[in-house]
Amino acid sequence: MPPERETRRTTVPVTIGGQSIVLDHSGAAFLPETDDLLVADLHFEKGSAFAARGQAMLPPYDTAETLRRLEKVIARVKPARVICMGDTLHDLAGDARMSESDRNRLARLVGRQDWVWIAGNHDPAPPEGYGGTAAEELRVGDIVLRHDVERGAHSEIPAGVVIGHYHPKAAVRARGRRISGRCFATDGRLLILPAFGVFTGGLNAREPAIAGLLKGDFQVFMIGKNGLFGFRREQLIPDPKRAA
Amino acid sequence: MTADLPDILQSWFATRGWNPHRHQLAMLDAAQSGRSALLIAPTGGGKTLAGFLPSLTELISEDPLPAGLHTLYVSPLKALAVDIHRNLEQPIAEMALPIRAETRTGDTPQSKRVRQRKKPPHMLMTTPESLALLLSYEDAPEIFSSLRCVILDELHAIEDNKRGDLLSLGLSRLHALAPQARRVGLSATVAEPDRLRRWLSTTGHAKGVQLVLGEDGAEPDVKVLETRAEMPWSGHMGAHAVPEIYEQFKDGGTTLVFVNTRAQAEIVFQELWRLNEDKLRIALHHGSLAVEQRRKVEAAMVRGDLDAVVATSSLDLGVDWAAVDLVLQVGAPKGATRLLQRIGRANHQLDNPSKAVLVPANRFEVLECRAALDAIHAHTLDGIPERPGGLDVLAQHILGMACAGPVDRDALFAQVRTAGPFARLSREDFDDVFNFVGTGGYALGAYDRFKRLRENEDGLFEISSKTAIRDYRMNVGTIVEAPTLKVRMGRGRVLGEVEESFVNYLTAGDTFVFAGRLLEFVEVRETSVITRPGKGDAPAVPAYVGGRFPLSTHLADRVRTILSDPTTWKNLPKQVTEWLEVQRWRSLLPSREGLLVESFPRHDKHYLVAYCFEGRNAHQTLGMLLTRRMERAGLNPLGFVATDYVLGVWSTKSPENADLAALFSEDMLGDDLEEWMAESSMLKRTFRNVAVIAGLIQRRHPGEEKSRRQVTFNSDLIYDVLRSHEPNHVLLRATRADAASGLTDVRRLANMLARVKGQITHRHLDRVSPLAVPILLEIGRESVYGAAIDELLGESADELISEAMENIGTKELGFDAA
């Protein structure tokens, strides 16, 4: 209704570990120097995982919808390489539940440019028969791309790290309403990508699991309907229910 | 007719010095001819006894006493079931009858529930949800085979909602298990008794159910309070009148003070205590308070230990108090039927009039109170549009039936159609719902290998897993509560519950009024809000959701009539007539049939105010659609605010020369509405409720909170996916039906647009008119509804940035953000 505001942006360039990364309104991120597109946590076949367990009969369209979004961002950005940051499949049996047409769409997509599958906790092995290469982690310039942060000691600390895994979302107060949405979260050294899959839930960025990984004064970029909106840590409201 | 009453009952009446009421005998007569009956009587007319008298008579007359369940009593309130049970035990004990009566609700211990199924009592008092659960057991046919009578209490409160749908489906199943059982409906006064008769019947026709009317009580004695204070221009709390409210019950005897929202209950209660120099015993009662607390207040009320209770709709139904002398309604009544039922809570002796005082909270509410008074004198009530039974409730019922045993699809369809709200259910809709329950009902058929219902060799459908049965039993019912947190004093006592969305607003140190105290928010721990006694007296008042009913069509019509006809103003207080006189002089009065629209500049903005009187929900929908149109017309609207009476829109360009006929034309209900409805958060909320009731997503249960992120789904995501991939899915259809009939009041809006066509009067003024003042005062107080999420985000960022800029100059925010 009101006039366009300058704050509405569909991409936001940030610098992680000295390297420039463009955050995209779709939930993907783009490395302009190497022409890489990053997407995290697609969770293909999450819906059918529930039906298979005799639980809720959720709409079986999540894989197709996630693929559609992926096709769209790839067509727009035309990267040289796509990097899936892990948890591409919701579970190891997910591949078998995928429909023929979804499988073909994914194969076509993988064949279009270079493709890397980073291993996730839901899918330690990459989906078979689609091509692409598998990796535990990937180093691009001074930064490391992984599914989750590395636990335990690391001999060589990289300048920057990009991960998925935590499905960050953020909540803010605006004119008496609470608004929440998926977000990117970063402290300038670590960047956590939002989940790209349509059925993936989220974890409040103020939760210790996420906030504990980031330096005190971190920042998030929340995905609105048509743009990205930046907020600082203290502007975010936590979930009322905190894990014990 | 008394000849039909067994001697022992006749002498019981005699020892108490009673004579059976005419309507009690009429109910007995209907029962003895095997007919179902509907009794409509005000509270206190011996209605419950009228319902049970035929059953007592039958059980007394049959020798030997038959074994098995004879009478099932269903109440929408647990507490009422318990209370009725207690009241029934009295005559049973006094007559030393060998009749066993028991209660079965969510509170009944497991061992007792198991025993009740093995050896049912003669009379069982229960709730719609507990009945649905009972019917989902394999032994339901044995439990109910002996059933002779089903009594449905407070039918008016349940008939037009989803709990009523669930109950009605349960009755259709009972009819198949016990075709001999007659039905007895008990209801307060309603506008259309035939609706309830149709609901009760097994054929969808009112004729099959005998109508019995209780004696009319004396005409109620109702007044509108004329305040000494300045009549507020806006606001809904009625705090200005608290001293006068206090005076009312200082000499009014036991008083029930009804308010419209829980927040209002807290404020009025707090203010009353401030004035309570006479140490009157005043208590508070609303749905957020801890159950034990509410029971305590009710018990004290029954004992006559209280002078006044401030209550919300939490006391609209339930326990009978003979001792209430006066009812106060603070804030506009919103509907004549509800008001009449509330007034009926006072003075249950039929020959004495109920006494009530209406306390309007603002100027428009004075008109509404006056309209309600006229309606009561004219004996006109609010009609409610009929709505078909919910497909989501049907899904729950089908799953429940499959839990009880293999289901014959055709037979179940026939059975379901004997339920009033589903009498016109199409086979297509039934099949779609059935398929949804079985496999999710998706066109893709992706889940054919994961069926929840499996067809056996006899063509019957069996439930495929124990998980599905457990899920059904955990999720039964149609009440989907907003997630709540317990409010605790320190780490100790639970005071009640508040919505999670309210807690989201609080930061440590914030104070709020709850359970009649000022509390300071400390922290959230697990599922509890930890508080301590607050200091000072300026709380941030709880903004509870819900509790507000929109103005009824019937009252709205009467309000327009009063406004348009100055000869009816003689009963209005002077402050109000002056306000209306100045309006008449400066602008125009809204007419009865047409629509008055005013526009005027103020500061740097332009305002457009439409006097529609169609209730908040309809106005909010209209506001959304109108601003879209104004945007296309280049008027640059910035926002809108809606009350029950008026819609106000503000813009950067003047609507002085706008084509109002085009702006308000009926075709706005076409594409714009479709598009907006699909996007609106209202529809998403509706979908969430539908998805929970239909069993697509699970309710949250206490103790499961920690793992809920893994098992619960964001229903918005499911809604979006379903909408883009299967827009005609049965759950989306159910969602749209709910939205059309209730939440958005689209039908009401459509009727208004049709009515005012060709009768829109536009007055352009050089400044704000008297009638427009209240809506302008609402701006900023009400959260601006419907503004796009992105705009709010953008604005919030702007605000925060400008705030930060003022404090720290031009320092860069964040680190590397461009």
Side-chain angles (χ1 to χ4, degrees), chain B residues 345-412:
Chain B
R345 301 294 265 152
N347 207 332
H348 288 166
Q349 274 77 48
L350 285 171
D351 27 3
N352 285 330
S354 301
K355 280 174 73 178
V357 178
L358 312 183
V359 184
N362 63 47
R363 286 157 190 251
F364 270 118
E365 287 192 358
V366 173
L367 303 177
E368 189 183 325
C369 286
R370 194 64 236 174
L373 206 61
D374 294 347
I376 284 172
H377 289 149
H379 294 270
T380 55
L381 298 173
D382 314 302
I384 328 162
E386 236 167 308
R387 48 171 279 283
L391 297 181
D392 48 346
V393 185
L394 178 60
Q396 188 179 100
H397 178 71
I398 291 174
L399 190 58
M401 291 304 92
C403 291
V407 167
D408 178 328
R409 190 170 172 143
D410 296 335
L412 184 58

Side-chain angles (χ1 to χ4, degrees), chain B residues 248-267:
Chain B
Q248 289 287 334
F249 57 68
K250 239 171 82 178
D251 38 42
T254 308
T255 307
L256 201 47
V257 184
F258 277 114
V259 298
N260 290 333
T261 64
R262 283 172 272 172
Q264 192 189 2
E266 293 282 358
I267 287 192

Side-chain angles (χ1 to χ4, degrees), chain B residues 710-723:
Chain B
Q710 281 80 52
V711 289
T712 60
F713 267 87
N714 182 333
S715 62
D716 291 1
L717 300 177
I718 299 173
Y719 174 79
D720 286 338
V721 164
L722 215 44
R723 198 160 68 81

